Amino acid sequence: RVCDATVELNHEGIATSPSPQLAALLLRSGRLAQQQIDSPFVELVEEIERKSFADHLISMNKELLLKQGDKSLPTTQLKLNLLDASNASVSVDVYHVCFLGMDDQPRHLLGIVEQNEDQQQLSGSQDRFMVETQVETLDSSNEECSSNSSSD
């Protein structure tokens, strides 16, 4: 599965560069997109989940710094609710890798995948949809051919 957005955070949980995909996912543009870079990522997380997510980042920082030799930790998967520009909740899966950056400080790479019911329903009915679409296309072609042949 492909991520809808990726973002890299420094050891303080602040984005290291713009993430246009994340801004689009959260319906943020212009000033709001810039604010996303200047503010801790945790501010995009629903209030009820902020402390646990911040604690997770801190514990990953500590664990990585205590490890000898390895420059990264195994990927973890989290389910979070992010807030869009209108403070509506956006359910996401977050794939998180903590690694040591060039500055010997922990970094966090987050791969974000939006979760919604439409995606789950689509994956179950995709084959049926494709067949129906092909049948409709064939029917349209036949009608076009029939009208062309009748005008000859």
Side-chain angles (χ1 to χ4, degrees):
R1 181 147 197 203
V2 176
C3 293
D4 295 313
T6 58
V7 63
E8 183 180 326
L9 309 178
N10 66 15
H11 67 283
E12 296 175 328
I14 297 174
T16 60
S17 62
S19 175
Q21 301 93 349
L22 181 60
L25 179 68
L26 299 179
L27 307 174
R28 295 171 183 260
S29 62
R31 184 181 53 79
L32 287 173
Q34 184 60 40
Q35 180 183 359
Q36 161 194 321
I37 299 164
D38 301 333
S39 306
F41 180 83
V42 72
E43 290 181 10
L44 296 175
V45 177
E46 262 190 6
E47 182 77 36
I48 196 165
E49 298 173 336
R50 283 183 190 167
K51 183 174 177 357
S52 62
F53 181 69
D55 290 346
H56 171 75
L57 293 180
I58 291 167
S59 72
M60 294 290 101
N61 285 346
K62 289 178 182 176
E63 185 179 340
L64 180 64
L65 291 173
L66 290 174
K67 272 191 130 178
Q68 297 292 326
D70 275 347
K71 300 267 188 199
S72 68
L73 296 175
T75 302
T76 57
Q77 181 181 359
L78 310 162
K79 293 200 178 294
L80 287 177
N81 291 297
L82 302 180
L83 298 172
D84 71 9
S86 64
N87 282 330
S89 181
V90 179
S91 297
V92 297
D93 284 330
V94 177
Y95 299 92
H96 172 218
V97 175
C98 185
F99 64 97
L100 210 53
M102 297 293 288
D103 57 358
D104 288 328
Q105 292 291 323
R107 300 277 181 167
H108 304 273
L109 181 61
L110 307 179
I112 300 168
V113 179
E114 182 180 15
Q115 289 301 305
N116 60 43
E117 292 178 22
D118 293 342
Q119 287 175 331
Q120 293 168 352
Q121 290 174 354
L122 181 61
S123 66
S125 63
Q126 189 172 12
D127 293 336
R128 185 179 58 82
F129 176 76
M130 302 242 328
V131 169
E132 288 175 0
T133 302
Q134 289 173 350
V135 169
E136 289 172 10
T137 304
L138 287 174
D139 288 345
S140 300
S141 298
N142 287 341
E143 288 173 10
E144 193 175 302
C145 289
S146 298
S147 63
N148 284 345
S149 60
S150 63
S151 63
D152 284 342

